[in-house]
Amino acid sequence: MRFTIERIRTLVLAAGVLLIGALGVFLWLAKWKTRLIHRDLPQRLGLDIQQQANGYTFVHAFGAHSQYRIHAAREIQLKNDRVELHDVEIELYGEDGTSTERIAGDEFEFDQGSGVATAQGPVEMLLTQQPAPKGAPTGKNPAGAMVRAGGSGQIDVKTSGVTFDRNTGLVTTEKRVDFSTNQGTGSAMGARYDSQSGYLTLEQQVEIRTHRSGGLVEIRAQHAEFDRNAQTCWLRAANATYQGRQADAAQARILFRLDGSAEHLDATGGFTLSTVSGEHLAAPTAALDFDEHSEPHHGHLEGGVSMESASEGRTVHGSSPTAELDFTAQGQLRHARLERGVTMASDATNQEANGPALRIKRTWRSLIADIDFREVQGKTAGRTEPERIHGTGSVVITSESQRGDGAVAPAKMTADDVTGTFGPGSVLRTMTGLGHAGMEQTTATGTRQTASGDRLVAQFEESSEQGTGNREQKDREQGSKGAREQENRDQGKEGTREQAGVESAELDGHVVLFEQAAAKPGAQPPAPLRATAGKAVYEGAGEWLHLTVSPRVIDGGIDLTANRMDLSQQSGDAFAHGNVKATWNGADVAAGAPGSATLGGKGPAHVIAADAELNQSTGEVRFRGHARLWQQANSVTAPVIVLNQHLQTLVAQTSDPAEPVRVVLLSAGAPGAANNKGRSASQGAAASAEQKPATSSVIRVRGGDLWYSDPQRRAVMHSGAAGAVVAETATATSSSDSAELLLMPAGNSGAGGQAQVDRMTATGNVVLTSPGRRGTGTQLVYSCVTQDYVLTGTAAAPPKMTDPEQGSVTGDTLIFHSGDDSVSIEGGGAQETRTESNATPAHAKQRQN
């Protein structure tokens, strides 16, 4: 939020210094009238008159020097004890005997009975420079400057109808009083002076016209009073205008020092300040303290302070019950403190060249707000603008942005303590929140986002006057735009620049982030995203969010932790670095939710790795560096594991033969061992199934790369960089170019919903080994239920089984029954030939033939 404080500066200049300068004139007029009247001039006019050839002269002396001298060209003694004097001239002298002031009138009439003297025509007074008292300051003094203005500092006063009452000491006139100096002019209608109490009253229509810093200052008051003894002046309905600014006070009281400098100003009954550019400041009461040069150094506004401004599509409003102002030695505003409930609001509209207008509304609320100011450099030197704002007491900053007729996007920032800094042109540059700091916003698409922590620091970038647009176009226009903005500032304009967005932000301590996307029509809202960390850093370029210090992200069914996480709000991509751990909960895995990491089971799935990368557009999650995924008893280990959330597939890869892809899968339970001697393979399997409950074991497979599809419940391992696929069961080990593993249907999973392998098929350069045997072929099929290995080959290279002790056998199909450690050979036209473990290969071959 931007602040227009020039109006407060105007308050000081117009309502304080300028009114004081005008009242300085009345102070000196009253001072010299007192010296004249206090000596009872009219009474002496009828006593010690010495007649001369050309008139009458009266001189009053004290010691070696004259105090005043009265000269009349002619005296006429009237009836009723009245005296008429013509061409009267009165001179007043200083303590050193030098002439200082002169009063002249064409005609005076004195009633010796009533003691009243009346001027029957115009009266002129010439007040000359009065030396400053010893020890008095010699610096700038607006009040004294009206009298002591350079070498010829004179005040010319003209009036008429002056009446003096010797008995009461009152000097009055109902006529117009005009005065002028080298610095300006002034007037009033009617004046009243009590010579005994030293009280001066200007009855009405008080006006002052002077110049300050090359500009005309006009001051008006309905009524003015000055107490000489108390060195105090009162103004009623005072008004001051200066360079398009206007200050008004219903009642004003000004206290002067003995040297004529202003010491204090009080304004009551309502004080307002406005400018032609739409700025307005108001408070029921105001008070200002001044230094020895009559420059303000402290101010106090109370009773409900309000500030408003409107310019070029932007309005600003602020209010607080009280305001404290501090000024520099040069009288410029340095600090403002708003207390007891501060509210500031702005409403701005930026019209883009080729798009709808962007409207931004912002509000600030806090218990207390402190604002520091700096002097504007360049052509507008002498003006002030905000440099820093500090708010305490449940600070709440809200904003609403709307582009055209689109949806309103609200945002909010809260903290116990907030500090903001401003760049040139009162543009907000940084914002720091301490204690329960938080941000909340709703995007144009309806997504709700919140962030909280112990400390929040945000840096803002400056937008162009025409809102956001093509970045390259902004860069090309930057030079001309900057010149226009500088020109506006030089002319005192505020402009309509708004913040384009957050350049960077940082949250520290107990960071919690939350994001809830809006539900699509007719659908349930998606699962929310929740993240926690010790520190979060946001970069506006690319809209990156970096989480460190034990970061954790929960997105739907996935729970992810790492040493560091990088999330792009622009693309939705995410990267996790160092000690990555991910968990998919059982409910989402069982439901087959997108993104669930599963190996066919229903329980929670876990992944650990050195790094992880989530690509939002492809739906892939890539784990790198000693990655391992497991679900109950099943697991995959590889340098790289890739999960596709859209296809629900898993890919594991390696390029290092020393670190192959490893898979451990639970096999379907096999029946207990049975005596199947003399039975066919099918008969043996049926008999075995009738003997004992199934028991489970695991299959361990390693190779170069793995592909698994959860919908197909199928996994394929290729040799790749590992050179071969090696599969280990409880009874044998196979080596091949590839291996396919089929899981049992989902409804036939084992205890606890664990996925189990139903069948494994090894293809290409197959080698099967078990204790005492070695078989070769082109394909091997292993049934986890029967625990039989079926080895086949080609016509040119039939399968072969070798026993180091018994020799070797071959046929179209060789079946190794691991349950009873026997081999069956099929082929050559025979239905089935069975060779037990103690039969020689030669005997088996003879029986087949």
Side-chain angles (χ1 to χ4, degrees):
M1 179 177 296
R2 299 168 56 195
F3 303 93
T4 304
I5 309 300
E6 184 63 21
R7 53 198 171 198
I8 300 180
R9 170 64 175 167
T10 306
L11 161 63
V12 177
L13 298 179
V17 176
L18 300 180
L19 290 177
I20 291 167
L23 293 171
V25 176
F26 306 134
L27 169 63
W28 287 98
L29 287 175
K31 178 177 179 180
W32 291 115
K33 285 183 180 180
T34 301
R35 294 182 58 189
L36 172 62
I37 301 170
H38 190 68
R39 290 161 177 80
D40 200 7
L41 168 64
Q43 184 178 28
R44 296 180 182 273
L45 289 176
L47 294 177
D48 303 322
I49 295 179
Q50 302 174 11
Q51 184 167 359
Q52 299 178 356
N54 295 325
Y56 298 89
T57 300
F58 170 79
V59 178
H60 175 79
F62 181 82
H65 302 290
S66 299
Q67 293 297 297
Y68 56 85
R69 175 180 177 271
I70 304 173
H71 175 74
R74 186 162 58 97
E75 175 195 22
I76 301 176
Q77 187 71 38
L78 305 176
K79 295 179 180 181
N80 299 326
D81 201 19
R82 288 179 295 125
V83 177
E84 183 177 285
L85 298 176
H86 292 268
D87 297 330
V88 179
E89 185 175 285
I90 304 171
E91 292 184 84
L92 294 91
Y93 300 89
E95 294 180 0
D96 59 355
T98 60
S99 177
T100 56
E101 275 78 36
R102 181 174 62 85
I103 302 173
D106 292 339
E107 183 178 333
F108 281 84
E109 182 179 300
F110 176 60
D111 188 334
Q112 299 184 72
S114 64
V116 176
T118 303
Q120 299 299 322
V123 175
E124 295 187 10
M125 290 176 283
L126 180 63
L127 309 182
T128 58
Q129 181 175 345
Q130 170 69 19
K134 294 182 180 180
T138 58
K140 294 182 179 180
N141 185 332
M146 298 294 294
V147 176
R148 301 186 296 273
S152 62
Q154 295 179 334
I155 303 175
D156 293 320
V157 181
K158 295 181 180 180
T159 185
S160 61
V162 176
T163 298
F164 171 74
D165 189 330
R166 179 190 60 187
N167 299 321
T168 61
L170 293 179
V171 180
T172 61
T173 180
E174 297 180 354
K175 303 297 182 180
R176 177 184 177 93
V177 179
D178 293 289
F179 52 89
S180 63
T181 70
N182 291 337
Q183 288 72 40
T185 61
S187 64
M189 285 299 295
R192 177 185 178 90
Y193 178 68
D194 189 333
S195 62
Q196 295 180 2
S197 63
Y199 202 93
L200 172 66
T201 302
L202 300 178
E203 297 294 351
Q204 57 185 344
Q205 298 181 23
V206 182
E207 295 184 3
I208 300 291
R209 291 171 297 281
T210 185
H211 289 79
R212 181 184 178 90
S213 301
L216 175 63
V217 180
E218 294 183 290
I219 304 169
R220 295 176 176 83
Q222 187 182 89
H223 185 80
E225 298 181 12
F226 178 73
D227 187 339
R228 181 194 61 191
N229 296 325
Q231 294 290 300
T232 305
C233 177
W234 290 266
L235 296 174
R236 185 171 66 240
N239 168 273
T241 59
Y242 172 65
Q243 293 186 345
R245 303 174 181 91
Q246 177 174 312
D248 296 274
Q251 302 285 342
R253 183 180 72 93
I254 304 174
L255 177 64
F256 294 92
R257 298 182 180 89
L258 293 177
D259 63 355
S261 62
E263 183 176 0
H264 184 78
L265 165 68
D266 287 316
T268 59
F271 173 83
T272 62
L273 179 70
S274 57
T275 68
V276 293
S277 58
E279 300 160 329
H280 184 81
L281 171 69
T285 62
L288 287 172
D289 292 323
F290 299 88
D291 62 15
E292 63 275 12
H293 306 299
S294 295
E295 293 287 0
H297 69 85
H298 182 74
H300 174 77
L301 306 178
E302 192 170 356
V305 184
S306 65
M307 297 174 287
E308 297 178 354
S309 69
S311 63
E312 300 184 6
R314 177 186 178 88
T315 60
V316 179
H317 175 78
S319 65
S320 69
T322 64
E324 299 288 336
L325 311 176
D326 292 312
F327 302 87
T328 65
Q330 293 73 34
Q332 292 181 340
L333 185 61
R334 176 179 58 84
H335 179 80
R337 181 178 179 87
L338 311 179
E339 296 181 331
R340 304 207 308 247
V342 182
T343 300
M344 291 175 281
S346 68
D347 191 338
T349 301
N350 291 343
Q351 182 61 56
E352 297 189 0
N354 298 313
L358 175 63
R359 183 179 182 184
I360 301 177
K361 299 172 63 177
R362 291 193 179 100
T363 63
W364 167 296
R365 291 183 176 87
S366 64
L367 184 63
I368 299 173
D370 289 280
I371 310 171
D372 294 327
F373 299 89
R374 62 168 173 260
E375 181 179 356
V376 178
Q377 302 299 320
K379 297 180 181 180
T380 56
R383 295 180 59 242
T384 58
E385 64 181 4
E387 181 179 33
R388 178 180 179 271
I389 182 172
H390 178 213
T392 57
S394 302
V395 182
V396 179
I397 305 171
T398 63
S399 70
E400 291 183 355
S401 60
Q402 182 181 24
R403 190 174 298 278
D405 297 329
V408 176
K412 181 171 70 173
M413 173 183 175
T414 60
D416 296 337
D417 185 298
V418 174
T419 300
T421 62
F422 298 87
S426 302
V427 176
L428 185 64
R429 293 296 296 128
T430 66
M431 188 72 74
T432 301
L434 301 176
H436 304 93
M439 296 183 68
E440 178 180 331
Q441 68 175 352
T442 302
T443 66
T445 60
T447 299
R448 179 172 172 265
Q449 300 171 334
T450 65
S452 63
D454 296 338
R455 177 176 178 267
L456 169 64
V457 179
Q459 293 185 340
F460 301 92
E461 60 184 8
E462 183 180 335
S463 74
S464 69
E465 294 177 332
Q466 297 174 340
T468 58
N470 183 274
R471 185 73 182 183
E472 296 179 356
Q473 181 68 20
K474 286 184 182 180
D475 293 340
R476 289 193 296 268
E477 296 176 352
Q478 188 66 35
S480 59
K481 178 181 75 69
R484 289 195 307 271
E485 293 177 348
Q486 183 61 47
E487 180 181 357
N488 287 342
R489 290 196 294 269
D490 292 343
Q491 296 175 358
K493 297 182 180 179
E494 296 240 348
T496 59
R497 291 178 299 164
E498 290 293 331
Q499 304 308 129
V502 178
E503 185 177 272
S504 64
E506 180 177 317
L507 265 172
D508 290 304
H510 305 92
V511 177
V512 178
L513 308 175
F514 180 85
E515 180 176 298
Q516 175 66 68
K520 295 181 179 180
Q524 294 293 324
L529 180 148
R530 187 177 186 272
T532 60
K535 183 176 183 177
V537 176
Y538 173 78
E539 295 179 2
E543 299 182 11
W544 282 100
L545 179 64
H546 308 287
L547 304 178
T548 56
V549 188
S550 304
R552 180 183 183 185
V553 174
I554 302 175
D555 186 2
I558 185 173
D559 188 338
L560 179 66
T561 64
N563 295 340
R564 173 188 171 95
M565 295 186 192
D566 303 316
L567 297 87
S568 173
Q569 295 183 342
Q570 189 177 72
S571 64
D573 296 344
F575 299 85
H577 310 280
N579 196 26
V580 176
K581 298 178 182 179
T583 298
W584 282 262
N585 63 57
D588 287 297
V589 171
S596 59
T598 175
L599 288 175
K602 296 181 179 180
H606 314 274
V607 180
I608 59 174
D611 299 286
E613 174 184 347
L614 169 63
N615 189 302
Q616 186 69 27
S617 60
T618 62
E620 286 188 351
V621 182
R622 184 179 297 269
F623 297 92
R624 293 190 180 92
H626 308 292
R628 180 172 182 263
L629 181 150
W630 71 96
Q631 183 183 35
Q632 297 167 307
N634 300 328
S635 66
V636 177
T637 304
V640 178
I641 296 178
V642 181
L643 304 175
N644 190 297
Q645 302 179 32
H646 299 161
L647 302 178
Q648 298 185 52
T649 60
L650 180 151
V651 174
Q653 300 170 326
T654 184
S655 59
D656 184 2
E659 190 179 4
V661 177
R662 299 178 183 271
V663 179
V664 178
L665 297 174
L666 193 67
S667 65
N675 185 8
N676 296 321
K677 188 173 182 179
R679 298 176 180 177
S680 66
S682 58
Q683 293 172 338
S688 298
E690 297 174 357
Q691 295 298 319
K692 295 181 181 181
T695 59
S696 298
S697 61
V698 296
I699 299 178
R700 304 177 188 274
V701 184
R702 65 179 184 269
D705 59 77
L706 171 71
W707 175 88
Y708 169 75
S709 171
D710 198 57
Q712 297 180 24
R713 302 182 69 80
R714 173 172 169 261
V716 178
M717 178 79 82
H718 295 96
S719 58
V725 176
V726 178
E728 299 178 3
T729 66
T731 55
T733 300
S734 67
S735 174
S736 60
D737 294 338
S738 64
E740 178 186 73
L741 297 96
L742 296 179
L743 304 184
M744 297 287 288
N748 294 337
S749 299
Q754 296 189 86
Q756 296 178 324
V757 177
D758 178 32
R759 184 172 72 252
M760 180 187 74
T761 301
T763 306
N765 299 309
V766 176
V767 176
L768 175 66
T769 60
S770 66
R773 287 188 177 86
R774 182 178 186 275
T776 60
T778 58
Q779 179 175 283
L780 173 69
V781 177
Y782 170 67
S783 172
C784 297
V785 175
T786 64
Q787 296 190 0
D788 287 345
Y789 298 85
V790 180
L791 184 63
T792 60
T794 65
K800 183 178 180 180
M801 185 75 69
T802 301
D803 187 321
E805 295 181 359
Q806 305 297 332
S808 62
V809 295
T810 186
D812 292 341
T813 303
L814 301 180
I815 304 174
F816 171 52
H817 305 280
S818 63
D820 60 1
D821 196 26
S822 64
V823 178
S824 297
I825 303 101
E826 294 181 354
Q831 292 182 354
E832 183 176 31
T833 302
R834 183 174 184 83
T835 301
E836 298 181 2
S837 60
N838 56 0
T840 66
H843 179 69
K845 203 170 190 179
Q846 290 174 354
R847 293 201 316 191
Q848 178 183 354
N849 295 332

